[in-house]
Amino acid sequence: WCDRYRVDIWAYCLMPNHYHFLIRQDGETPAGLLPQRVFNGYTKAYNHRYGNRGTLFERRFQAKQIESDTHLLHLCRYIHANPVKDGFVDDPDDWPYSNYLEWIGKRDGSLVDHTFVQTHFQNPRSYRTFVLDII
């Protein structure tokens, strides 16, 4: 379904009370439409199933344009370190609800751009060190 919007999900982390998605937009359709459509559809299905009305999420998602590689890499690290920062786990390796394990080569998955990771880091261990430096 990502091909329809011509976007790539680079980093994500699902938390108990919020989520993070780092999405690259390739086409004219704004990347912000992807989470809007996904979560609006989820909300409608949830409300239909449980007889609820209204929104499920407190705040509107934020879409921000990234202007530099430095900012991009910081956001990847921030997203993957979030479960540790918020006290859910002591090590990002222990949080299965993100694509961090794909970034460091400990899990196979399709929501990771291995070329991007290899372009910016010598090996998975160097990305792990980069993430742990912020914790």
Side-chain angles (χ1 to χ4, degrees):
W1 49 267
C2 288
D3 290 339
R4 181 173 167 199
Y5 294 98
R6 294 184 56 180
V7 300
D8 292 317
I9 298 173
W10 279 8
Y12 74 88
C13 185
L14 306 176
M15 303 289 288
N17 58 350
H18 67 284
Y19 57 88
H20 297 277
F21 286 106
L22 180 57
I23 300 171
R24 185 183 78 194
Q25 175 182 332
D26 285 335
E28 293 297 318
T29 303
L33 284 180
L34 177 66
Q36 179 182 353
R37 297 237 168 98
V38 168
F39 291 107
N40 283 347
Y42 176 79
T43 298
K44 287 177 184 178
Y46 181 92
N47 286 345
H48 177 74
R49 181 174 185 157
Y50 296 104
N52 291 347
R53 294 173 47 193
T55 63
L56 293 179
F57 303 98
E58 288 183 19
R59 290 180 238 156
R60 188 178 184 277
F61 70 92
Q62 296 179 11
K64 298 179 182 181
Q65 186 169 340
I66 298 168
E67 300 286 340
S68 70
D69 280 351
T70 301
H71 186 204
L72 175 63
L73 295 174
H74 172 72
L75 285 174
C76 294
R77 174 170 57 178
Y78 174 83
I79 288 168
H80 290 143
N82 206 245
V84 176
K85 182 185 78 66
D86 285 2
F88 292 105
V89 292
D90 293 327
D91 188 309
D93 286 25
D94 297 331
W95 192 255
Y97 310 109
S98 78
N99 66 343
Y100 173 75
L101 295 173
E102 283 91 341
W103 277 60
I104 63 168
K106 289 191 173 184
R107 182 175 69 194
D108 290 332
S110 60
L111 294 179
V112 61
D113 183 341
H114 292 288
T115 303
F116 173 79
V117 177
Q118 293 166 356
T119 299
H120 290 90
F121 299 95
Q122 288 182 323
N123 54 49
R125 199 170 4 118
S126 65
Y127 181 69
R128 177 170 165 67
T129 299
F130 180 68
V131 171
L132 295 177
D133 282 347
I134 200 174
I135 297 175

